Amino acid sequence: MMINFGAGPAHLPEEVIQGMQTAMVNAEGSGLSIMELPHRGSAFKMILEELNGLVKSLLEVPDNYEVLWIQGGGRMQFAMLPMNFLQPQTTAGYLDSGFWAQDAMQYAAGYGDVIALGSSAEDNYGYIPELEIPHDRELSYLHLTSNNTIYGTEMQSFPDVSFPLIADMSSDIFSRKVDVTKFKLIYAVAQKNIGIAGVTMVIIDKAFAAKGHQHLPEILQYRAYMEHASIVNTPPVVAIYSCLLHLRYIHKTGLNTTQQHNEAKAQMLYNFIIENNSYLRLTAQKDFSKMNVCFEFINPVYNKQFITFAKQNDIVGIEGHRRVGGLRVSLYNAITLEDVSKLIEVLGRFIIMHR
Ligand code: PMP
């Protein structure tokens, strides 16, 4: 089997893949394939209840929050957020920490005033910019990206602010503990640390959701997803079920152990890159991500050669994003220490061959 270090769709735990295989024929003993399971039936109701329960227990989500499952991916959240909570004459703040942060900001620009409260764009997003909080204006919300998938930087702490705090946690959700009560809304796309593409998890403060605009079609209102327990239309049952299998897997170890495991994996790889600084260098300057490690060979001809060499050694998904180049190794929860050791061994062999 190949080791997939891709940033998303990412490597899935073996038991998620096997669980999906079983459910393709018989989902949770219902006698029906997960692909034909009725979305208003009791089996799917139980799937959603267990899934929401796992999210709440893993992240210690208080009762004044709701967990929602919405289609359309990250970009749908980029759009729904301003549609629901921004209007002409009101302002939203965005921390411009990477491509996805900037994309989210651009989606909002048509709905009201949008300001960047700090940006590292001029330094190729090599670090998390300092947050500059305005004291002369109210913000409808303040949007952060906890982990910048493309640039390999990650926020280590979150600010205390008087405005509703929103976070895109797509690429580091369930990789570490987080204080949900700091946020009014957290969203995370599937296909990294949860399930397969087709659904996005949203954790929203109920009172905040109720303040969203009402003139929108239901399919775009957080309130409607809350009132209809995520079943506003036919939901992506297969993708949602894959999230349940994935969270059952994470729940077995718990978030504390998962976090330690992720720290150990990242440290091992960063140490190797730093120790081999005659050949390799990190792309980011600081705020290094534990989920996406971005680096490159100092001699650029070796990047492509290494990608080919890695593939011959059953390692895939390590190309850097096209905006950055070089290499990117994603260390989501399903990646093991042994997988990282194997990568390091292959990198070491390549370096010896080219000394
Ligand atoms: N936010 C982050 C942090 C991402 O890494 C991505 C890419 N998976 C997105 C948003 C965009 O998600 P989607 O492709 O589902 O629109």
Side-chain angles (χ1 to χ4, degrees):
M1 284 291 276
M2 293 281 182
I3 308 177
N4 176 14
F5 286 104
H11 179 52
L12 286 166
E14 189 57 35
E15 58 188 82
V16 172
I17 295 173
Q18 275 171 6
M20 289 303 285
Q21 233 166 9
T22 305
M24 283 297 153
V25 181
N26 183 357
E28 299 287 302
S30 64
L32 290 177
S33 162
I34 190 69
M35 296 182 288
E36 50 183 10
L37 204 66
H39 59 285
R40 297 193 193 276
S42 60
F44 184 61
K45 191 163 175 253
M46 279 165 68
I47 287 170
L48 261 183
E49 276 175 10
E50 185 185 344
L51 175 59
N52 292 343
L54 284 172
V55 173
K56 288 181 179 164
S57 102
L58 277 165
L59 294 175
E60 296 173 22
V61 181
D63 287 343
N64 57 318
Y65 287 79
E66 202 74 71
V67 181
L68 310 175
W69 300 90
I70 300 178
Q71 300 190 47
R75 289 167 179 85
M76 180 66 107
Q77 293 310 304
F78 296 173
M80 272 178 74
L81 189 59
M83 280 177 166
N84 279 262
F85 300 113
L86 194 59
Q87 54 194 351
Q89 280 100 45
T90 64
T91 307
Y94 281 74
L95 187 66
D96 182 22
S97 60
F99 173 77
W100 296 118
Q102 196 180 70
D103 208 30
M105 188 159 75
Q106 279 166 4
Y107 266 73
Y111 294 93
D113 277 344
V114 173
I115 48 173
L117 303 174
S119 172
S120 48
E122 300 214 329
D123 293 312
N124 294 323
Y125 293 120
Y127 53 88
I128 304 285
E130 201 72 46
L131 180 66
E132 298 149 17
I133 301 197
H135 296 293
D136 56 342
R137 61 207 291 190
E138 272 299 306
L139 295 180
S140 298
Y141 61 83
L142 166 54
H143 180 278
L144 309 171
T145 309
S146 60
N147 184 69
N148 298 289
T149 327
I150 294 178
Y151 300 91
T153 62
E154 187 171 21
M155 296 186 79
Q156 300 310 322
S157 62
F158 298 103
D160 289 307
V161 288
S162 54
F163 316 113
L165 198 59
I166 314 288
D168 174 357
M169 296 197 182
S170 293
S171 50
D172 66 353
I173 194 81
F174 299 117
S175 71
R176 58 177 176 173
K177 298 203 87 163
V178 17
D179 180 1
V180 171
T181 62
K182 281 198 159 189
F183 302 89
K184 294 288 184 214
L185 191 160
I186 292 171
Y187 63 92
V189 305
Q191 34 108 342
K192 301 178 196 296
N193 271 335
I194 28 172
I196 59 171
V199 74
T200 300
M201 183 190 77
V202 173
I203 302 173
I204 191 165
D205 177 296
K206 291 182 197 174
F208 182 66
K211 285 190 204 147
H213 304 321
Q214 304 203 2
H215 57 265
L216 292 165
E218 274 207 325
I219 195 75
L220 296 169
Q221 285 188 40
Y222 292 106
R223 186 194 300 99
Y225 285 86
M226 209 163 74
E227 283 167 6
H228 301 297
S230 295
I231 309 182
V232 177
N233 66 335
T234 313
V237 170
V238 177
I240 289 174
Y241 184 68
S242 74
C243 295
L244 171 62
L245 293 179
H246 209 152
L247 289 199
R248 277 183 188 159
Y249 164 85
I250 297 174
H251 193 254
K252 275 204 303 200
T253 352
L255 227 44
N256 277 333
T257 310
T258 299
Q259 182 166 346
Q260 283 165 16
H261 183 230
N262 286 331
E263 280 163 10
K265 289 183 299 185
Q267 197 167 36
M268 196 167 158
L269 184 53
Y270 280 116
N271 283 349
F272 179 84
I273 295 165
I274 292 163
E275 280 159 16
N276 286 278
N277 60 5
S278 319
Y279 304 94
L280 300 171
R281 71 171 158 235
L282 291 164
T283 315
Q285 297 157 29
K286 56 179 182 169
D287 306 316
F288 301 116
S289 166
K290 296 192 174 64
M291 292 287 98
N292 312 99
V293 180
C294 297
F295 62 106
E296 62 190 353
F297 278 91
I298 292 171
N299 182 344
V301 300
Y302 290 150
N303 291 317
K304 270 216 163 67
Q305 287 182 21
F306 180 68
I307 290 165
T308 308
F309 184 72
K311 199 166 179 185
Q312 288 158 359
N313 286 279
D314 299 333
I315 288 172
V316 292
I318 58 167
E319 301 84 354
H321 190 274
R322 61 187 183 282
R323 285 167 195 281
V324 179
L327 304 164
R328 170 175 58 175
V329 169
S330 298
L331 303 176
Y332 302 124
N333 293 349
I335 293 291
T336 63
L337 266 174
E338 291 71 43
D339 295 335
V340 183
S341 294
K342 165 91 192 268
L343 173 71
I344 285 175
E345 182 266 315
V346 173
L347 261 171
R349 246 193 301 138
F350 183 85
I351 288 173
I352 289 170
M353 279 161 57
H354 294 85
R355 264 216 281 253

